[in-house]
Amino acid sequence: MIKKIIVSLGLLFSLASVAQEGSASPYSFYGIGDARFKGTTENRSMGGLSILPDSIHMNLQNPATFSSLKLTSFTVGGSFNVSNLKTRETTAKAQRTTIDYLAVAFPAGKLGVGFGLMPYTSVGYKINSISDVEGQPSRSYSGKGGMNKVFFGAGYQITPKLSLGADFSYNFGSIETKSLLSQDVQYGTREMNVSDLSGVSFNTGLVFGTKIKKYDFVASMTYSPQANLKSENERKIATLIGSSQSEIVVEEKEIEVADSNLKLPSKLAFGAGFGKKTHWFVGAEVTFQESSKFGNRYNDITNVSYENATRYSVGGYFVPNFDSYTSYWKRVTYRAGLKYENTGLVVSDTPIKDYGMTLGLGLPVGGTISNLNVGFEYGRRGTTHLGLVKETYANIFLSLSLNDRWFVKRKYE
């Protein structure tokens, strides 16, 4: 198991060395960027459904599920994204390859413990606005960076039917945004903003499971109270010579801007489902987030506001025959789901909404209980109304889940 983890870490760092920015969306300009972590590959393949405890898969959204693990589990996940961006006047295409999470968890009797690292939000966009009117300036906007999260969590089985869990996270990162203004004169202007983010957050979870006749019933709830982020801000104004693309600085001056305290909104999610766990399962989940209390890093952004966000997920899986000896494909887990989300972001008085469908496969690895998980997501976000951007996206996500038994004393050497 340790050798597998070392090999996987080597693969992780080799992928990270060529990974691109985590977002290509102009909506990542606002707040602290796009939410990057939306669940493990297994969860995202079911429309984001995160209510299920599992003995060999980690559920990183509900820490109470750590108590269900029977084996030590190591998981690493990444994704490839292709987005088509459209306004009423033009279209563009972008793609990104990213690492999504890295985590380890292990059981200790009724207690399960997990820890890991993940990119939490991402900023990544490039927008050019070229004026057709003589004498009017052209503008370009770009941004990069985001916030990461290191977490430690634990779940405890209070009774055979009820588990409780909590995780603690330290959030950190840096965001850089830049705007360039140029026209048919010798000099252009550049404004660069940098925000260094830091803060802690907390998440609690509850899972209830029981039998109803021959079916398994599961109910789940998570709650994250409001948390604070400190944003240390700086702004620089520079005069550029020649084309804005060259960015040859003639003069640069630092402008004093205030630091800001941002609020990570409280979040409540609950859901339920039923089925036969080794054969099939279907469930639904709803998430409420108090995004109306959120804000921007700088107070001079006037065309955006926030409202409370809501997300709905429906999904499930099907395994034809989990212990089949004659057919590999009968042991494969087939997943599918639907999602709809009011993101809480309101731009130019227009709510930004996101909806999509997902499919996935859980592929057993050789004769082991480890598995390779593959998922596909297709969806749309935003609108072309009032000069906004509509994004049509396709995501392919991949994860490796390695499982083994640790801390067992050998009887024979």
Side-chain angles (χ1 to χ4, degrees):
M1 178 68 173
I2 295 177
K3 291 181 180 179
K4 293 178 182 179
I5 290 179
I6 293 173
V7 171
S8 299
L9 283 172
L11 176 62
L12 170 67
F13 290 122
S14 67
L15 288 174
S17 66
V18 297
Q20 301 177 29
E21 296 167 356
S23 175
S25 171
Y27 297 117
S28 69
F29 170 78
Y30 302 103
I32 55 175
D34 274 345
R36 272 286 304 282
F37 181 72
K38 299 179 180 179
T40 62
T41 297
E42 302 92 293
N43 296 144
R44 291 185 68 182
S45 298
M46 297 185 291
L49 192 69
S50 63
I51 65 174
L52 274 169
D54 198 306
S55 61
I56 60 172
H57 293 103
M58 275 184 271
N59 180 347
L60 300 180
Q61 291 160 285
N62 188 337
T65 60
F66 288 144
S67 65
S68 298
L69 290 172
K70 302 302 180 185
L71 300 170
T72 298
S73 181
F74 168 83
T75 185
V76 57
S79 59
F80 174 72
N81 165 268
V82 176
S83 298
N84 290 307
L85 311 174
K86 181 180 180 180
T87 67
R88 288 184 175 179
E89 292 79 25
T90 187
T91 60
K93 187 176 181 178
Q95 62 185 41
R96 295 288 186 270
T97 302
T98 60
I99 300 298
D100 293 335
Y101 55 89
L102 169 68
V104 177
F106 56 88
K110 294 183 178 181
L111 179 71
V113 176
F115 56 91
L117 169 67
M118 63 183 68
Y120 191 56
T121 69
S122 284
V123 174
Y125 59 88
K126 293 181 181 179
I127 304 171
N128 294 316
S129 176
I130 301 174
S131 176
D132 295 328
V133 180
E134 185 176 352
Q136 292 294 318
S138 297
R139 300 176 183 270
S140 63
Y141 306 88
S142 62
K144 63 181 180 179
M147 190 170 72
N148 303 304
K149 179 169 79 170
V150 177
F151 72 91
F152 176 85
Y156 184 76
Q157 189 180 71
I158 300 173
T159 72
K161 295 182 178 181
L162 183 66
S163 294
L164 178 67
D167 64 47
F168 172 85
S169 300
Y170 175 69
N171 309 293
F172 63 97
S174 181
I175 297 173
E176 178 185 301
T177 59
K178 180 169 58 177
S179 62
L180 299 173
L181 183 148
S182 61
Q183 52 191 125
D184 296 330
V185 294
Q186 184 179 6
Y187 298 105
T189 303
R190 181 186 71 190
E191 178 184 295
M192 183 176 293
N193 297 302
V194 178
S195 299
D196 292 322
L197 306 170
S198 62
V200 298
S201 57
F202 189 68
N203 180 43
T204 59
L206 193 68
V207 172
F208 174 80
T210 189
K211 282 280 189 180
I212 299 179
K213 294 185 178 180
K214 61 180 180 179
Y215 298 105
D216 298 299
F217 173 80
V218 174
S220 167
M221 183 178 72
T222 59
Y223 176 70
S224 301
Q226 179 179 284
N228 294 318
L229 284 178
K230 183 178 181 181
S231 178
E232 298 180 350
N233 305 318
E234 66 175 47
R235 174 174 293 167
K236 293 181 180 179
I237 304 294
T239 300
L240 310 176
I241 191 170
S243 167
S244 63
Q245 300 299 320
S246 64
E247 295 192 37
I248 300 175
V249 177
V250 176
E251 182 181 4
E252 187 172 54
K253 181 179 180 181
E254 187 168 339
I255 305 298
E256 184 176 348
V257 290
D259 293 339
S260 52
N261 292 314
L262 304 178
K263 297 183 184 299
L264 284 179
S266 63
K267 182 167 66 174
L268 172 67
F270 58 88
F274 71 98
K276 296 181 179 179
K277 287 186 178 180
T278 58
H279 188 33
W280 62 272
F281 189 89
V282 292
E285 186 176 27
V286 60
T287 303
F288 302 101
Q289 191 170 32
E290 283 194 298
S291 303
S292 59
K293 295 183 179 180
F294 195 60
N296 290 294
R297 304 184 304 280
Y298 299 91
N299 295 322
D300 52 4
I301 301 175
T302 58
N303 68 327
V304 63
S305 61
Y306 297 90
E307 62 184 11
N308 290 338
T310 309
R311 175 189 175 99
Y312 301 94
S313 300
V314 178
Y317 66 80
F318 173 71
V319 184
N321 185 356
F322 79 98
D323 59 355
S324 174
Y325 291 101
T326 59
S327 173
Y328 174 84
W329 294 103
K330 287 185 178 181
R331 292 187 284 117
V332 169
T333 302
Y334 300 86
R335 303 181 176 103
L338 298 170
K339 68 169 189 177
Y340 170 81
E341 181 178 7
N342 178 6
T343 64
L345 178 64
V346 181
V347 183
S348 299
D349 296 323
T350 304
I352 305 302
K353 299 180 180 181
D354 186 350
Y355 55 94
M357 56 84 65
T358 61
L359 298 170
L361 296 174
L363 304 171
V365 177
T368 70
I369 50 178
S370 298
N371 50 83
L372 177 69
N373 298 286
V374 183
F376 173 77
E377 179 181 40
Y378 178 82
R380 291 182 179 179
R381 178 169 68 163
T383 175
T384 58
H385 182 59
L386 294 177
L388 300 180
V389 179
K390 181 171 73 174
E391 302 175 22
T392 302
Y393 58 84
N395 296 321
I396 298 174
F397 20 89
L398 181 72
S399 73
L400 183 63
S401 180
L402 302 175
N403 303 284
D404 205 345
R405 189 178 299 277
W406 284 13
F407 313 117
V408 177
K409 185 177 181 180
R410 294 184 180 181
K411 294 183 179 179
Y412 305 99
E413 295 293 340

